[in-house]
Amino acid sequence: SRIMGCIQDIFETILDRRENPSPNSYTKYLFDQGLDKILKKIGEESAEVIIAAKNGNNQDTVGEIADLAYHLLVLMAQQGITPDDVAALLYERHKKTGNLKVFHDTDKNS
């Protein structure tokens, strides 16, 4: 599919930047800074997606989703997880029916 091809292409570029870094590469910077920096960026980008969506500007939301997706792909590369790993799990979950989670009411005052 188009989306998986795009994700795979970006993932391969991230892997290439890790293996053949150029001095001004943001991806190289993230790998050099390590897991904590990558995770911090994922947290920041997640918050920015939430704010953009709440503000109702789809163009901003799409941009923030793209930023989040990129940082997730960097995390995946850093952790040795591939897009195929994620796609396989998503596919398995998609095939299931009747998998609605039941949430329990809790007493917030106790």
Side-chain angles (χ1 to χ4, degrees):
S1 75
R2 183 172 173 216
I3 185 70
M4 282 309 295
C6 177
I7 288 171
Q8 187 62 43
D9 288 349
I10 294 167
F11 186 73
E12 288 173 11
T13 299
I14 289 168
L15 293 176
D16 182 65
R17 295 286 191 280
R18 184 180 64 186
E19 301 306 316
N20 305 294
S22 62
N24 297 322
S25 167
Y26 177 66
T27 303
K28 175 191 181 315
Y29 166 77
L30 288 173
F31 283 123
D32 287 349
Q33 293 297 306
L35 182 59
D36 284 357
K37 181 64 170 184
I38 295 167
L39 295 175
K40 182 179 177 189
K41 290 303 297 182
I42 288 172
E44 290 171 3
E45 298 301 342
S46 296
E48 290 172 8
V49 168
I50 292 164
I51 292 165
K54 186 176 181 307
N55 288 340
N57 184 324
N58 281 356
Q59 185 175 352
D60 288 349
T61 304
V62 168
E64 298 302 344
I65 289 169
D67 291 347
L68 177 57
Y70 161 77
H71 287 90
L72 287 171
L73 289 169
V74 171
L75 173 65
M76 290 166 56
Q78 198 270 348
Q79 296 286 302
I81 298 167
T82 69
D84 284 342
D85 295 333
V86 176
L89 181 58
L90 287 171
Y91 181 73
E92 283 303 311
R93 289 181 177 176
H94 178 70
K95 291 192 312 184
K96 292 181 181 177
T97 58
N99 61 350
L100 177 66
K101 289 183 169 48
V102 177
F103 297 97
H104 302 284
D105 289 329
T106 58
D107 182 356
K108 303 289 187 203
N109 297 320
S110 59

